[in-house]
Amino acid sequence: MMKGVHFLAIVALLSLASSFVSAFDPSPLQDICVAIDDPKSAVFVNGKFCKDLKDSNANDFFFEGLQNPGNTDNKVGSNVTTVNVDQIKGLNTLGISLVRIDYAPYGQNPPHTHPRGTEILVVVEGSLLVGFVTSNMENRLFTKVLNKGDVFVFPIGLIHFQFNVGHSNALAFAALSSQNAGVITIADAVFGSDPPINPDVLAKAFQLDKKIIEELQKKFEY
Ligand SMILES: *[C@@H]1O[C@H](CO)[C@@H](O)[C@H](O)[C@H]1NC(C)=O
């Protein structure tokens, strides 16, 4: 009887451990593990199913089109073009990805966090006011104006932003330390969740009148 219970506990622990492993970018256990959606022709499991090595080729590690600007004609005046494991299947298990960010004059990449990745950004055109804020209770702002050729780091999980302070377009590229860093845009998550968060919660949290919260929720409606 006791042995059976032990066995079950061990099985439960092991399955928990393996689900933790696959929730992160794991250290690769082989040279390459090109992600594949169809497990029928897959050979190895390490986070995602991997394509059979003999079926893999250079195109699994290739993406084209990053010379094209994203369309910044939207309410924040910026556009992020993502190149992660969804675009390059060969990034699977490698713990890295890339974005191109275009900014209209005075456009911004609004306050957001990447739950799974540190970001390193280089400005290619224009000038950006950037910053990140550390966690409670300090909530310290680290901020800087970046010009062409400048590089800045946004540590994993911390809220950060970029704002084009120039009167021309700006362009940056950034690498992230995850094949799928994730994005949580603060305003969208808080005011635009689906279904909406009870406005009484947000009124107290933001120390605002409930009417203002409801207006904000309309603006960010999913
Ligand atoms: C970003 O640009 C692409 C390419 O022009 C466009 O398809 C997409 O809708 C844009 N996204 C936003 C949020 O404006």
Side-chain angles (χ1 to χ4, degrees):
M1 181 57 199
M2 264 321 267
K3 267 195 180 137
V5 171
H6 267 144
F7 177 72
L8 279 180
I10 287 166
V11 168
L13 271 175
L14 281 179
S15 58
L16 205 62
S18 64
S19 68
F20 281 142
V21 167
S22 60
F24 289 82
D25 298 76
S27 298
L29 301 173
Q30 62 288 305
D31 288 349
I32 66 173
C33 173
V34 177
I36 189 169
D37 293 327
D38 175 18
K40 276 197 293 268
S41 46
V43 291
F44 199 85
V45 177
N46 183 6
K48 286 195 179 204
F49 295 106
C50 314
K51 213 179 200 186
D52 193 325
L53 183 55
K54 68 176 162 22
D55 298 334
S56 306
N57 61 51
N59 284 332
D60 290 328
F61 299 86
F62 174 73
F63 176 87
E64 63 185 334
L66 220 51
Q67 79 278 16
N68 301 321
N71 181 359
T72 57
D73 188 13
N74 52 48
K75 65 181 182 194
V76 291
S78 75
N79 192 310
V80 180
T81 308
T82 303
V83 186
N84 64 23
V85 70
D86 293 333
Q87 286 76 35
I88 301 185
K89 299 293 185 189
L91 279 178
N92 193 37
T93 75
L94 298 184
I96 195 166
S97 58
L98 183 71
V99 292
R100 170 190 173 123
I101 316 173
D102 290 279
Y103 311 83
Y106 308 107
Q108 63 166 285
N109 189 7
H112 64 279
T113 100
H114 302 291
R116 294 177 293 278
T118 288
E119 174 174 349
I120 182 165
L121 175 142
V122 57
V123 179
V124 174
E125 286 301 336
S127 299
L128 297 175
L129 168 70
V130 305
F132 67 82
V133 180
T134 63
S135 54
N136 302 356
M137 296 297 293
E138 249 196 345
N139 298 138
R140 187 165 153 209
L141 173 67
F142 289 71
T143 187
K144 195 118 184 126
V145 174
L146 307 180
N147 297 303
K148 187 171 177 166
D150 291 349
V151 174
F152 201 75
V153 173
F154 305 104
I156 183 168
L158 301 187
I159 292 180
H160 61 281
F161 61 87
Q162 300 107 33
F163 176 51
N164 180 4
V165 288
H167 44 253
S168 53
N169 290 336
L171 170 62
F173 289 87
L176 293 122
S177 62
S178 169
Q179 68 184 41
N180 176 21
V183 189
I184 300 168
T185 304
I186 308 305
D188 295 71
V190 171
F191 298 113
S193 68
D194 179 26
I197 298 174
N198 183 324
D200 288 324
V201 173
L202 299 179
K204 187 149 270 179
F206 286 86
Q207 297 286 293
L208 286 172
D209 196 277
K210 197 169 150 184
K211 283 204 182 67
I212 299 175
I213 296 294
E214 284 164 350
E215 268 173 45
L216 283 166
Q217 286 184 316
K218 265 195 210 92
K219 277 198 179 99
F220 287 92
E221 220 163 25
Y222 188 74

